[in-house]
Amino acid sequence: MPLLTLPPELLALVLSWVPPKRALVLRRVCRAFCAVVSSASFARTNVRRFLAARGPGFYLSNTLVDELFFCFPAHYACVAADCLGALLAQFEDPDLNWSDLTLADVALPHDALARLSCIKSFTVMHTSLTGPLPASVGLLGRLEYLHLKGNRITGSIPDEIGSLVRLKVLILDANQLAGAINPALSRLTNLEELSLAQNKLVGGIPASFGNLKKLEYLNLSDNCLGGSIPPDLGGCSMLKCLLLRNCELEGSIPNNFDHSFPSLVKADLCGNNFVQFSFESHLFTLQDDVE
């Protein structure tokens, strides 16, 4: 084969014009091709030529996401993320929404995700994302909105999420998160909405949640938390909606709990094992109606 007689640098130049999907197949041809295509420098040239021929709109298309970011090897995914990040950085409020993707059991790529540090809003809702939430999410330092509802994300909430100090909304409903609620969430002092409902979380409600002074919406329903409601939760004085349905909570509801939230509009504490409560309020649903 004449190509095999070329110096590696020239071989890389020739192969870089091949579309990425086909270039990866060439790794099976021989060791020389495999060595070239597997290098980070080749992936950088290959991806950028592929995207440059298609214009900026293609960067935000599902084809880029499916074939490069999620489904390609890490060295390709990182280059795709660099290109996407460079484009998004030109916008005042970079917003990345991949909720309409058709994915099959793919995980958020750790290294590539870290390269999207410019984004302020990140949504991947009701897809088939699986695996743990990468620690690299903590590198998205400008993030204000993170919505990953309705996936199959497993494992525990990483400590690094506490680095997202600008975060205002965190929605991780309807996944398969397990273990204790990470107290690192208490460092997110700009948080206005926190929803962890319909997971497999245990270990009680962190008392440190009382530090979330700007929190307006808290939903921990349908987890196996256990324990009691910490009195310190009353520190969330701006809370408007408190949903703790079916959390296996027990003990007594703290005294004057109904007066701790002057802005409260709704509270649902049904489906728990409270032994007593010393107040009645139209704002609090304490038990389901029985006909």
Side-chain angles (χ1 to χ4, degrees):
M1 183 181 297
L3 282 177
L4 293 179
T5 63
L6 296 176
E9 297 80 7
L10 189 54
L11 179 61
L13 180 63
V14 172
L15 295 183
S16 68
W17 292 98
V18 178
K21 196 170 185 179
R22 294 183 181 179
L24 287 177
V25 175
L26 292 177
R27 293 182 300 176
R28 305 172 187 170
V29 172
C30 63
R31 290 182 179 179
F33 280 21
C34 184
V36 167
V37 176
S38 298
S39 72
S41 59
F42 175 84
R44 191 176 304 111
T45 303
N46 189 215
V47 169
R48 287 177 177 172
R49 282 182 171 164
F50 177 65
L51 296 178
R54 286 156 177 80
F58 184 79
Y59 282 59
L60 302 177
S61 73
N62 290 355
T63 304
L64 169 67
V65 176
D66 286 340
E67 294 191 354
L68 295 178
F69 194 85
F70 284 104
C71 303
F72 272 47
H75 64 303
Y76 267 84
C78 287
V79 176
D82 285 340
C83 295
L84 183 58
L87 177 66
L88 291 171
Q90 301 175 30
F91 296 91
E92 184 176 352
D93 295 307
D95 177 2
L96 193 55
N97 190 330
W98 287 336
S99 295
D100 54 352
L101 297 180
T102 303
L103 303 173
D105 298 326
V106 296
L108 285 170
H110 174 87
D111 293 332
L113 184 63
R115 295 168 184 259
L116 297 174
S117 59
C118 68
I119 60 175
K120 288 187 177 182
S121 176
F122 185 38
T123 303
V124 187
M125 185 172 60
H126 296 301
T127 68
S128 298
L129 280 183
T130 187
L133 186 61
S136 55
V137 72
L139 298 176
L140 306 181
R142 299 183 64 194
L143 204 62
E144 297 180 2
Y145 183 98
L146 179 58
H147 192 160
L148 301 178
K149 179 178 180 179
N151 291 289
R152 296 202 294 272
I153 299 173
T154 58
S156 58
I157 299 171
D159 292 339
E160 290 78 4
I161 204 166
S163 300
L164 303 179
V165 294
R166 296 188 183 184
L167 203 64
K168 296 179 180 179
V169 176
L170 175 59
I171 302 175
L172 299 175
D173 291 8
N175 280 286
Q176 298 174 19
L177 293 169
I181 296 177
N182 197 324
L185 294 173
S186 304
R187 302 204 301 267
L188 306 179
T189 53
N190 285 308
L191 210 58
E192 298 172 3
E193 180 175 346
L194 174 60
S195 192
L196 305 175
Q198 296 178 291
N199 280 287
K200 301 176 181 179
L201 298 169
V202 298
I205 302 171
S208 55
F209 271 12
N211 297 329
L212 302 176
K213 306 299 184 183
K214 297 182 180 180
L215 196 65
E216 298 180 2
Y217 179 96
L218 176 62
N219 187 0
L220 305 178
S221 298
D222 299 306
N223 283 289
C224 303
L225 295 177
S228 59
I229 296 177
D232 291 347
L233 194 62
C236 302
S237 57
M238 296 186 67
L239 206 61
K240 295 179 180 179
C241 185
L242 175 64
L243 305 178
L244 301 176
R245 174 182 283 264
N246 300 327
C247 287
E248 300 185 9
L249 298 172
E250 55 191 14
S252 301
I253 297 177
N255 292 331
N256 299 319
F257 193 62
D258 52 333
H259 300 300
S260 299
F261 310 109
S263 302
L264 198 67
V265 176
K266 178 182 180 180
D268 188 346
L269 310 181
C270 292
N272 291 292
N273 303 309
F274 298 120
V275 296
Q276 63 180 13
F277 43 89
S278 58
F279 61 89
E280 291 185 5
S281 170
H282 68 283
L283 299 177
F284 279 75
T285 304
L286 300 169
Q287 55 189 10
D288 290 312
D289 294 332
V290 179
E291 297 183 0

